[in-house]
Amino acid sequence: MTAWRRGEATVTDKQDVAGGFSKQERAAMKERAAELKEDAKRAKGAGKASAEEADVLAKIAQMPVGDRAMAERLHAIVANVAPGLSPKLYYGQPGYAKGGKVVVFFRSGQMDKQRYSTFGVSVQASLDEPSGFWPTSFALAEPTAKAWEQLSDIVRRAAGTEQR
């Protein structure tokens, strides 16, 4: 186990300190910091958009087979039902943004060493319910055709392309 000092506490590779971050969480935070730094360097407009899409497609290509297929399907769904959303890395995973702010995202369960992958929506998503209660993430483990239809509807609504 690798250890390093941060203030007075010693942190290890494992999440063995109450409230500490796991190795995967620390890696995601580092990736997000690098994304923000890279984003600041990039030019605006079409060049930036194509570079961000290339980053997302490269990340999807690196995923293990099952998660790659789900991420590719989500990518196609977003392009089809919410073309106003732009691909953008989000904590090292595929995200789709409107006005530079991520609206929906995918997290590879296999890459995160979890038992399922996750499709999520950010606070930017247009999903507010009158009841004041709505989900912000969904587990993906071998989704059925019906699940993909539901996900398509959520993407459409989250992007604001369909009102309830």
Side-chain angles (χ1 to χ4, degrees), residues 60-72:
I60 291 171
Q62 295 171 0
M63 291 180 183
V65 176
D67 284 353
R68 183 179 333 128
M70 286 191 288
E72 288 170 344

Side-chain angles (χ1 to χ4, degrees), residues 2-112:
T2 307
W4 64 92
R5 287 213 168 275
R6 181 177 174 199
E8 294 298 312
T10 300
V11 182
T12 63
D13 282 345
K14 294 198 181 252
Q15 185 178 358
D16 56 2
V17 179
F21 295 107
S22 70
K23 185 177 182 179
Q24 288 81 19
E25 289 168 326
R26 287 191 307 274
M29 287 186 283
K30 286 180 184 177
E31 285 188 55
R32 182 66 180 142
E35 290 162 12
L36 293 171
K37 192 175 183 179
E38 185 63 31
D39 199 34
K41 288 184 200 174
R42 285 197 174 132
K44 302 219 183 256
K48 180 178 179 179
S50 65
E52 288 178 337
E53 182 168 20
D55 290 346
V56 167
L57 293 173
K59 181 56 77 172
I60 291 171
Q62 295 171 0
M63 291 180 183
V65 176
D67 284 353
R68 183 179 333 128
M70 286 191 288
E72 288 170 344
R73 182 132 185 211
L74 174 62
H75 188 77
I77 286 170
V78 171
N80 186 40
V81 303
L85 296 182
S86 308
K88 177 182 183 95
L89 286 179
Y90 185 63
Y91 291 95
Q93 299 286 326
Y96 300 88
K98 184 176 189 177
K101 304 280 186 176
V102 171
V103 177
V104 298
F105 59 89
F106 176 83
R107 292 219 45 97
S108 168
Q110 292 177 47
M111 291 178 79
D112 286 345

Side-chain angles (χ1 to χ4, degrees), residues 43 58 100 132 136 138:
T136 59
F138 301 84

